[in-house]
Amino acid sequence: MELYLTHIDTACCLLEIEGYKILTDPVLDEAGGWYHHGFGAISKKTQSPKLENVNLDDVQLVLLSHPQHKDNFDHKGKEFAAKVPLILSTPAIERQFAHGKGMQVWETFEIELPSGGTLRITATPAQHHPHWLPTFVSGHVIGFVVEHSEWDTCLYISGDTIFYKGIQEIKDRFPHISHSLIHVGSAEFRYLAGLGKFTMDAKGFMKTVEVLAPSVCIPIHNGGWTHFKENDEGLRKEMGIHSSAEKVHMMEKGKRTLLTR
């Protein structure tokens, strides 16, 4: 199992699986800009991507949890995705890119790897809004499970979601998750939705770790925007009261890391 991860910015990560390059939720703009995410939700980008030691040449696939929000798909991220052979995302992606493939929840897509073997990618459910708001406010979102034909484990990428019953459904279908990338940050727009959360806070994150029980759980999407109300400090505080915190690995942005079980 050769799996390298480089966390670049927000939920933007470079995955290298047996040499095959995948970029998740491309966010590549420099800090300082203001962005409108829809329905009056506005925020500022406060951190820049860590790209100094990152090689994005020959990326073959973009896994995009959803195309409608700028903190997952900003201007330079869209420009980059336009040059990649394939984008897997929600069905909305097909209205934007001819090489975009929309996926329904639990749908799978297979890719034959040049090095041999097959990648099997399954779209997983996500709830990107507080329970009292309808789905259309944030729009549809998916996560992904990535399996390799020669692995006995798999990788889960949550997409933007709160902790809800769908997490248990994912565990029931994929009990062999070894690694997980979980979108956190407690995204909130308090002037629109009060204390309603659009992504996991630290408590939801630790509940997810307990349900999935992976060998390694990596928080991403945990800083860099003004609508994120928690950062690494909040996560560490919550981790201090959970025995499962030993499964959590905090990644240094821009550093290529070999993931092992």
Side-chain angles (χ1 to χ4, degrees):
M1 177 180 181
E2 184 179 271
L3 173 60
Y4 285 92
L5 170 70
T6 308
H7 185 193
I8 295 170
D9 187 14
T10 319
C12 181
C13 296
L14 176 64
L15 295 170
E16 299 171 77
I17 300 174
E18 308 293 345
Y20 184 84
K21 289 185 176 182
I22 302 170
L23 195 67
T24 67
D25 287 14
V27 177
L28 301 172
D29 289 355
E30 296 297 315
W34 288 89
Y35 298 79
H36 181 230
H37 308 286
F39 285 91
I42 298 172
S43 67
K44 184 178 182 181
K45 194 172 192 295
T46 60
Q47 292 180 6
S48 296
K50 294 289 186 180
L51 290 167
E52 293 83 359
N53 300 307
V54 180
N55 182 0
L56 293 181
D57 293 341
D58 301 318
V59 169
Q60 295 298 305
L61 171 65
V62 166
L63 294 180
L64 175 61
S65 63
H66 57 297
Q68 64 266 29
H69 295 150
K70 303 299 191 301
D71 58 333
N72 297 82
F73 202 35
D74 62 14
H75 303 305
K76 288 186 178 179
K78 288 184 178 181
E79 291 173 4
F80 183 87
K83 302 173 184 177
V84 172
L86 176 64
I87 308 169
L88 296 181
S89 187
T90 63
I93 198 65
E94 296 183 1
R95 297 194 294 270
Q96 299 184 34
F97 295 92
H99 60 295
K101 169 69 172 71
M103 300 182 71
Q104 301 292 342
V105 170
W106 305 128
E107 183 179 354
T108 62
F109 188 89
E110 293 189 349
I111 298 170
E112 298 298 323
L113 297 179
S115 60
T118 302
L119 277 189
R120 180 180 174 89
I121 298 169
T122 302
T124 56
Q127 182 176 312
H128 189 22
H129 56 88
H131 67 86
W132 65 84
L133 289 179
T135 298
F136 72 79
V137 172
S138 289
H140 288 286
V141 176
I142 55 174
F144 301 95
V145 166
V146 181
E147 301 171 280
H148 191 291
S149 58
E150 297 177 4
W151 297 352
D152 58 0
T153 59
C154 60
L155 166 71
Y156 167 57
I157 306 168
S158 74
D160 280 11
T161 185
I162 60 171
F163 178 83
Y164 79 119
K165 64 180 181 180
I167 304 300
Q168 183 63 56
E169 294 175 12
I170 293 164
K171 175 64 174 179
D172 292 343
R173 287 182 180 244
F174 297 96
H176 55 302
I177 293 172
S178 60
H179 296 79
S180 57
L181 306 181
I182 308 298
H183 296 205
V184 291
S186 192
E188 302 173 32
F189 294 93
R190 294 177 179 175
Y191 57 94
L192 295 174
L195 296 178
K197 294 172 174 52
F198 292 82
T199 60
M200 291 185 200
D201 61 3
K203 288 184 173 63
F205 171 73
M206 291 311 303
K207 288 179 182 177
T208 300
V209 175
E210 291 168 357
V211 169
L212 297 179
S215 301
V216 177
C217 193
I218 298 167
I220 59 176
H221 195 275
N222 52 339
W225 296 79
T226 55
H227 64 290
F228 292 179
K229 303 307 179 186
E230 282 189 349
N231 53 24
D232 288 352
E233 182 180 350
L235 281 176
R236 289 191 176 96
K237 183 178 179 180
E238 185 67 21
M239 286 163 55
I241 61 173
H242 290 270
S243 59
S244 55
E246 64 185 16
K247 299 177 181 293
V248 180
H249 291 216
M250 310 292 278
M251 301 292 291
E252 179 184 341
K253 288 185 177 66
K255 182 178 179 180
R256 185 173 183 257
T257 302
L258 176 65
L259 298 185
T260 57
R261 284 182 278 170

